[in-house]
Amino acid sequence: MRRLLPLLLIGVFSLVGKVSSQEMAVPTQKPVLIELLRIQHEIPGLGYFLLLEDPLDSTLVQNSGFKWTRYDSGWVSGIKEDFTLLGAVDSDTVSSRLNFTILSEPVADSVAVQYISQLVSRGDIDLPLAQDGPQEDLVSYALKSPYAPVYGNRFSFTADLKIFIVTGIILTFFVFSISMFIVMLVVKSRKSKKEALEKEYDQMVVDPLTNLLFEKDLDEIRKMTEADFESFFPKHLLQDLVYREVLIDRIIGLNKKMKGEFKEKLKTLYNRLGLAKVSVGKIKLSQWHIVAEGLVEINEMDLFEYLPEVKNLTNSSNFQVRSLAVSAMLNLSEKSDLSFLRDQTYPLSQWQQMKYLRIIKFVSQQRSLKIEMLFESKNKSIRIFGYKLVRILGRIDLLEMLSSMAPNLEDEEKAELLKTYLELGAHMEVDFVNSCLESKNPRLLMQAVKAAKVLGDESTLEILLGKVAEEREFTTKLQIMRSIHELDKSRFEQFISEYGNSDSDLLRVRDHILDPRLANV
């Protein structure tokens, strides 16, 4: 709206200017123009003179006010700027014998008309568009003239469409401005009121929570009735949205810092005060930020009973909701089932993988997770995440399953699988490494070269020697020769001595590999 209003104003004013300039157009007919100039009296810079033929009327000489000068075939008047003097001259004579001047220089009639138009358009003069009024009594003139309404509309204000539109736009601007100002005042007032309430309620919940946590044991809290709780947390306050939110924030904040029985007390309070239902109610709403709040609260308070509702959100289209739902499932689920992660259709980001990995590393100490379920996912990023988990968690028991799947995997998955084999020292997978060395995919080839350095055998060495003879790119050649050096140093030296003279890059590679300062470069 802010961008539209200035454009609308510019358009309207342009329309007004255009219409105005049309209304103020200067007539090009010379008799009409001369009559308007006579009514105007004077135009700055515009003058005129008359050219008359013999004989010159003596009455004109005496009464016109012109100073006549003789020339070859007639008479010429001096240059005048007062157009009222033309009233003493016959109108036909004026129309045919009058010549215009601008700054005392004779000009054509069209140039004079253009000059007057420029003055009018700039607002330097206001040219009358009608002759002077009647020279008789106005009352008598009015009696002779038929009545005609000045305005076609009932109200004179709406007769001029341009003024009406501009006024309407200005009024609309003021209405919107005032409305926005009022809305800002209302929002600020509500925000200030809410902040004041939060401070007040925060002070009110501190003492009851402290008393319940430190003066009563867990069994006493579980046996408390609703009337007992009402003495600590009044029922009418629990129905207040702001009070509930402050209480939830306080309990969750304490839950992060407490351990053992205190956490159980807080969870019992959370359920008995009906706050758990508030949290699960949030995840059923459509606003994603409120759903995210509910998922955080369920996760922090270990509300296992609401895991089915949380599981429904693990494939949400919203990134934040989906991430929080999976995190809650990994934290709270007592099962080893990872089907909720396997069935995700959205790709995993690096941030999500790091977050899930941190949780899985923690929960895997308490229960064994079925990571192999991730290998069955239709989502490639989930499968790759599964291979990473095998490597990071050291799940050697899953290598046999990976070995059976390896030939049918995509190149990107094979590269990740090679990292896993290299990390876990899977020497039995040398055939897979050798097959990857024949790949045309540069990324897969480089990863296979790195794996061959640790997992390779004699057949791997022969493949690498053949590769280095074909390779032209220095970085790749360096990695291949480094793997050859690790597998068999004598073959490395033999190869350099045979082909070093014909390939200068091999000598540079050897110097690079043997330099201990460049070992990790």
Side-chain angles (χ1 to χ4, degrees), residues 26-39 46-52 83 86 90-101 106-113 116 127 131:
V26 178
T28 57
Q29 298 85 358
K30 196 168 184 178
V32 180
L33 175 61
I34 292 173
E35 181 63 21
L36 290 177
L37 293 175
R38 188 183 65 79
I39 298 172
L46 183 67
Y48 66 94
F49 63 89
L50 295 172
L51 291 174
L52 300 181
F83 287 92
L86 296 174
D90 180 70
S91 60
D92 293 335
T93 301
V94 171
S95 299
S96 60
R97 300 297 181 179
L98 184 139
N99 295 273
F100 290 106
T101 65
V107 296
D109 294 348
S110 60
V111 176
V113 170
I116 297 170
L127 193 65
Q131 295 184 358

Side-chain angles (χ1 to χ4, degrees), residues 228-239:
D228 295 332
F229 278 112
E230 190 171 355
S231 62
F232 290 93
F233 306 100
K235 190 173 182 179
H236 69 280
L237 288 178
L238 284 173
Q239 296 175 351

Side-chain angles (χ1 to χ4, degrees), residues 136-339:
E136 57 186 289
D137 181 64
L138 293 177
V139 176
S140 301
Y141 182 79
L143 291 174
K144 295 178 182 179
S145 302
Y147 169 76
V150 178
Y151 303 104
N153 299 326
R154 180 178 179 183
F155 301 103
S156 59
F157 176 74
T158 60
D160 193 327
L161 181 60
K162 300 182 292 299
I163 296 178
F164 180 73
I165 292 174
V166 173
T167 306
I169 291 173
I170 293 173
L171 289 176
T172 303
F173 172 76
F174 277 108
V175 169
F176 273 100
S177 300
I178 294 171
S179 301
M180 290 177 62
F181 182 71
I182 293 173
V183 169
M184 290 172 61
L185 287 178
V186 172
V187 171
K188 185 175 181 180
S189 176
R190 288 181 177 177
K191 184 178 179 181
S192 300
K193 184 179 178 181
K194 183 180 179 181
E195 290 176 352
L197 274 177
E198 288 176 348
K199 291 181 180 179
E200 180 182 351
Y201 288 154
D202 190 59
Q203 296 297 324
M204 293 173 63
V205 301
V206 170
D207 290 339
L209 286 175
T210 303
N211 293 336
L212 288 171
L213 287 176
F214 294 99
E215 295 182 4
K216 294 183 179 294
D217 58 29
L218 181 58
D219 291 334
E220 288 178 323
I221 294 176
R222 287 174 176 172
K223 293 177 182 179
M224 288 176 63
T225 62
E226 290 187 6
D228 295 332
F229 278 112
E230 190 171 355
S231 62
F232 290 93
F233 306 100
K235 190 173 182 179
H236 69 280
L237 288 178
L238 284 173
Q239 296 175 351
D240 188 320
L241 177 62
V242 178
Y243 183 84
R244 289 202 305 266
E245 290 300 322
V246 170
L247 188 56
I248 288 173
D249 290 342
R250 268 292 180 177
I251 292 177
I252 290 179
L254 290 171
N255 187 66
K256 292 179 179 179
K257 301 174 183 178
M258 300 293 184
K259 294 183 179 181
E261 185 176 328
F262 287 105
K263 291 180 72 72
E264 290 297 325
K265 288 180 182 180
L266 289 169
K267 183 178 179 181
T268 302
L269 284 174
Y270 202 82
N271 281 285
R272 292 296 303 275
L273 294 174
L275 302 179
K277 293 181 179 179
V278 174
S279 296
V280 77
K282 290 180 180 180
I283 68 174
K284 296 179 181 179
L285 300 178
S286 57
Q287 297 94 328
W288 73 267
H289 62 282
I290 298 179
V291 176
E293 287 180 7
L295 289 170
V296 171
E297 292 165 7
I298 291 173
N299 192 11
E300 291 292 340
M301 297 308 300
D302 298 336
L303 302 179
F304 305 100
E305 57 272 26
Y306 298 116
L307 281 180
E309 288 84 353
V310 174
K311 187 176 181 179
N312 293 333
L313 299 173
T314 54
N315 202 32
S316 169
S317 59
N318 185 279
F319 178 84
Q320 298 292 342
V321 172
R322 185 170 67 250
S323 302
L324 290 170
V326 172
S327 298
M329 289 296 297
L330 290 173
N331 266 327
L332 303 181
S333 179
E334 297 180 352
K335 301 178 180 179
S336 302
D337 184 16
L338 294 180
S339 59

Side-chain angles (χ1 to χ4, degrees), residues 372-516:
E372 62 272 17
M373 296 184 69
L374 303 182
F375 306 157
E376 305 169 359
S377 176
K378 296 179 180 180
N379 188 334
K380 183 170 68 173
S381 65
I382 300 291
R383 297 196 300 270
I384 291 176
F385 181 60
Y387 309 148
K388 290 180 181 178
L389 290 177
V390 172
R391 179 173 74 250
I392 295 171
L393 299 179
R395 293 290 299 273
I396 300 177
D397 56 303
L398 297 177
L399 289 179
E400 184 177 354
M401 179 180 293
L402 291 176
S403 178
S404 62
M405 298 167 51
N408 301 320
L409 298 180
E410 298 181 17
D411 286 351
E412 187 177 355
E413 296 178 72
K414 287 180 178 179
E416 193 63 41
L417 200 57
L418 285 170
K419 293 180 183 178
T420 300
Y421 288 160
L422 177 60
E423 185 73 21
L424 299 180
H427 292 276
M428 73 290 294
E429 300 300 331
V430 64
D431 292 337
F432 176 72
V433 174
N434 291 343
S435 65
C436 292
L437 287 173
E438 303 295 339
S439 173
K440 301 299 182 182
N441 187 316
R443 182 183 174 188
L444 178 58
L445 174 61
M446 286 296 290
Q447 192 57 52
V449 170
K450 292 178 182 178
K453 179 169 58 177
V454 176
L455 308 178
D457 57 8
E458 189 63 29
S459 59
T460 308
L461 183 60
E462 295 300 328
I463 295 174
L464 291 174
L465 290 171
K467 283 286 180 183
V468 76
E470 302 171 357
E471 188 59 47
R472 293 292 178 266
E473 207 275 319
F474 180 80
T475 304
T476 306
K477 184 178 292 187
L478 173 63
Q479 291 296 334
I480 295 175
M481 290 301 294
R482 183 170 281 166
S483 295
I484 293 173
H485 180 265
E486 292 294 328
L487 289 173
D488 192 334
K489 292 181 175 59
S490 60
R491 291 291 298 274
F492 173 83
E493 294 294 344
Q494 181 183 352
F495 186 84
I496 295 294
S497 62
E498 291 179 4
Y499 298 98
N501 294 330
S502 59
D503 189 349
S504 60
D505 282 345
L506 287 178
L507 299 178
R508 292 169 55 205
V509 166
R510 182 193 62 183
D511 294 339
H512 187 110
I513 293 173
L514 297 180
D515 191 339

